[in-house]
Amino acid sequence: AIVQAIAISSHLPEIKAISVSGPPGIGKTQVVAKACEYACERHMVDEVINVPLTSSKNPLEIFLCSIGVSFCNVSSEEIEESLFDWAVERIESNKRCTVFVFDGCTPWFIDGKVPTKVFVEDFIGQMSSKKIAIKVIMTGLRPLSVKGEKVVSLKGLNPKKAAEVFYTACPRVLTANEL
């Protein structure tokens, strides 16, 4: 479903964000990683930039690290003012599409001050205004209701299906007793 959403969104410019939501621990991050790998292999997207928001670090610092910006000796005001410009510099404008994966989205992006929805919408707006083709994939417990968002909800697998998936992905052969 996620690969399908990426494929559809690459032909529909109004879809700027894909939200993958579901309970904790069901594999949203892994599913998105595989979907992005698949999309890259098939030239649906040119680059995937992962922004892991699951740590306790400042999300802006994580974002800057993800796009390769060193922020030593830079004030937080300067970071907030220049953030989108640095992202534009990082992405080559001649690329067809860059995907940003915001993994572990919560409703609040920066210390309870900036809603994630506002940050993502501003980011998409800034990139679009500069004619830079991006898509944003967000993982989290629930969709953020971002403008132009396509929602993919994942549900937990029943124990039998989970065992089948594990058995298929396992690097060694398991006996029935091990399952």
Side-chain angles (χ1 to χ4, degrees):
I2 299 167
V3 173
Q4 190 177 31
I6 293 171
I8 290 168
S9 71
S10 65
H11 298 292
L12 298 172
E14 65 273 10
I15 297 177
K16 300 287 187 189
I18 300 168
S19 184
V20 180
S21 61
I26 65 165
K28 295 178 292 289
T29 300
Q30 293 167 328
V31 168
V32 167
K34 285 292 183 190
C36 288
E37 181 181 314
Y38 181 90
C40 282
E41 287 171 356
R42 281 148 187 81
H43 308 289
M44 299 160 94
V45 300
D46 296 310
E47 180 180 24
V48 176
I49 297 174
N50 289 300
V51 184
L53 300 175
T54 52
S55 78
S56 60
K57 291 183 181 176
N58 180 327
L60 286 179
E61 292 176 7
I62 293 169
F63 180 79
L64 291 173
C65 287
S66 298
I67 62 173
V69 174
S70 173
F71 51 88
C72 295
N73 302 320
V74 179
S75 71
S76 58
E77 293 82 23
E78 217 178 336
I79 288 174
E80 289 183 33
E81 288 174 14
S82 304
L83 180 72
F84 298 128
D85 292 333
W86 290 332
V88 168
E89 288 174 19
R90 164 65 175 80
I91 304 166
E92 298 173 17
S93 58
N94 61 351
K95 288 186 178 178
R96 198 175 55 242
C97 185
T98 298
V99 173
F100 283 83
V101 177
F102 291 99
D103 184 31
C105 284
T106 60
W108 298 100
F109 191 69
I110 306 162
D111 300 327
K113 296 176 188 167
V114 178
T116 304
K117 176 182 176 177
V118 171
F119 174 81
V120 171
E121 287 179 340
D122 285 352
F123 179 63
I124 290 170
Q126 290 285 331
M127 296 300 110
S128 295
S129 72
K130 297 183 181 344
K131 306 289 188 240
I132 296 189
I134 65 158
K135 298 292 179 191
V136 174
I137 300 178
M138 304 162 291
T139 68
L141 298 177
R142 58 187 151 285
L144 294 176
S145 302
V146 170
K147 183 180 175 187
E149 176 180 30
K150 167 82 174 138
V151 177
V152 178
S153 295
L154 298 182
K155 295 175 179 33
L157 299 174
N158 66 45
K160 182 180 177 194
K161 185 63 178 170
E164 288 174 11
V165 169
F166 178 76
Y167 184 80
T168 304
C170 190
R172 66 181 182 89
V173 177
L174 297 175
T175 65
N177 290 339
E178 288 178 297
L179 285 176

